[in-house]
């Protein structure tokens, strides 16, 4: 008789775990659907005309071509940390004095294996 009672208890426990799993799954699905609707409602508003991007006063921005050179490291007796450097540790650049484009020497191949005669 005790064996039958144990089997009945295990079956009820298993059924209870299955029901609990289904309830948790239903809650997760419900929370996902509620969250996705909420996000969709918040993002669906279209921008008003005054929120649209405008062209700058001087007209469209054009590409600027210039040669840049790196900023020099300050020379000090003490070690500098990145936040003490100009640009917070990022390598700064400035406009180069020479703005003409560097060209290969006449008669140079321009690169290894390019098929040119090369410099003699």
């Amino acid at each position: 008789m005790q064996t039958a009672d144990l089997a009945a208890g295990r079956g009820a426990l298993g059924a209870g775990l299955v029901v609990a799993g289904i309830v948790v799954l239903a809650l997760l699905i419900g929370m996902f659907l509620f969250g996705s609707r909420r996000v969709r409602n918040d993002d669906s508003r279209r921008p008003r005309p005054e929120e649209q991007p405008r062209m700058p006063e001087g007209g469209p921005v054009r590409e600027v071509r210039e040669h840049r050179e790196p900023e020099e490291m300050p020379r000090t007796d003490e070690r500098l940390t990145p936040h003490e450097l100009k640009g917070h540790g990022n390598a700064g650049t400035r406009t180069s004095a020479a703005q003409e484009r560097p060209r290969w020497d006449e008669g140079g191949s321009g690169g290894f294996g390019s098929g040119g005669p090369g410099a003699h």
Side-chain angles (χ1 to χ4, degrees):
M1 189 75 126
Q2 285 181 343
T3 310
D5 290 340
L6 278 174
R10 286 184 183 167
L13 179 63
L17 287 175
V18 169
V19 169
I22 291 173
V23 168
V24 168
L25 183 63
L27 283 172
L28 288 172
I29 291 172
M31 288 170 42
F32 175 77
L33 292 175
F34 176 72
S36 65
R37 282 188 194 145
R38 189 169 154 201
V39 169
R40 195 176 320 135
N41 290 339
D42 291 345
D43 290 345
S44 64
R45 186 183 70 78
R46 294 179 183 229
R48 294 186 295 260
E50 60 269 8
E51 295 174 341
Q52 296 290 334
R54 301 275 182 226
M55 187 177 299
E57 294 292 329
V61 178
R62 301 287 182 212
E63 178 181 349
V64 176
R65 287 189 176 208
E66 64 179 2
H67 290 285
R68 310 280 299 169
E69 58 187 25
E71 294 279 354
E72 295 294 323
M73 281 292 287
R75 303 218 182 257
T76 62
D77 293 336
E78 296 180 21
R79 180 177 163 214
L80 297 176
T81 58
H83 73 274
E84 294 172 320
L85 296 173
K86 183 177 174 183
H88 302 288
N90 296 324
T93 60
R94 63 176 182 263
T95 303
S96 176
Q99 288 297 312
E100 56 275 347
R101 234 175 113 187
R103 299 287 182 181
W104 294 106
D105 292 333
E106 189 63 38
S109 66
F112 179 76
S114 65
H120 293 70

